[in-house]
Amino acid sequence: VQLQASGGGLVQAGGSLRLSCAASGRTLSAYVMGWFRQAPGNEREFVARIGRSGFSTYYADSVRGRFTISRDNAKNTVYLQMNSLKPEDTAVYYCAASLVGGTKNNEYDNWGQGTQVTVSS
């Protein structure tokens, strides 16, 4: 499956952005989907994941209550709604697909190209 992330940009602290991840090549419903992020000088870290049907979600402590992951399997698209953004949320955000699921990078086999999110203070 090929993944294309979009929706990043520059936003002030307290603002919102919605990221999208469009899939092609294979139906998205076969995969657990995740969002990860990587800030300069840091390792890529888990942000959120969603089960195949969309009913099961899990978030990193740092974003729980502010971010919401969702999916529309009919549109082959996954979303990350980010509210109450903080400067420490600044990073390149990646969507990823997994047949296993989880919170670790090596549990995901397919990655999008990343989209930059910058939050100014």
Side-chain angles (χ1 to χ4, degrees):
V1 62
Q2 291 77 46
L3 303 173
Q4 179 79 30
S6 62
L10 173 64
V11 63
Q12 289 187 332
S16 299
L17 281 175
R18 188 176 82 153
L19 306 183
S20 298
C21 176
S24 60
R26 188 172 177 181
T27 179
L28 200 63
S29 60
Y31 298 91
V32 174
M33 296 298 297
W35 284 96
F36 292 74
R37 67 186 182 186
Q38 187 168 21
N42 291 355
E43 294 185 352
R44 190 160 55 188
E45 65 175 7
F46 169 80
V47 174
R49 66 165 167 81
I50 187 166
R52 292 175 178 81
S53 63
F55 291 109
S56 172
T57 59
Y58 184 75
Y59 299 90
D61 289 343
S62 58
V63 306
R64 187 174 291 117
R66 299 188 297 122
F67 290 12
T68 302
I69 188 171
S70 62
R71 66 193 297 163
D72 186 338
N73 286 339
K75 294 183 178 180
N76 252 16
T77 303
V78 177
Y79 305 96
L80 185 69
Q81 177 67 44
M82 305 185 295
N83 298 328
S84 302
L85 283 161
K86 305 175 181 180
E88 51 263 44
D89 294 318
T90 295
V92 177
Y93 283 71
Y94 298 89
C95 60
S98 172
L99 294 175
V100 175
T103 62
K104 300 178 181 179
N105 285 274
N106 61 11
E107 293 176 311
Y108 289 77
D109 304 307
N110 300 278
W111 293 82
Q113 86 291 359
T115 184
Q116 176 71 47
V117 172
T118 303
V119 184
S120 62
S121 58

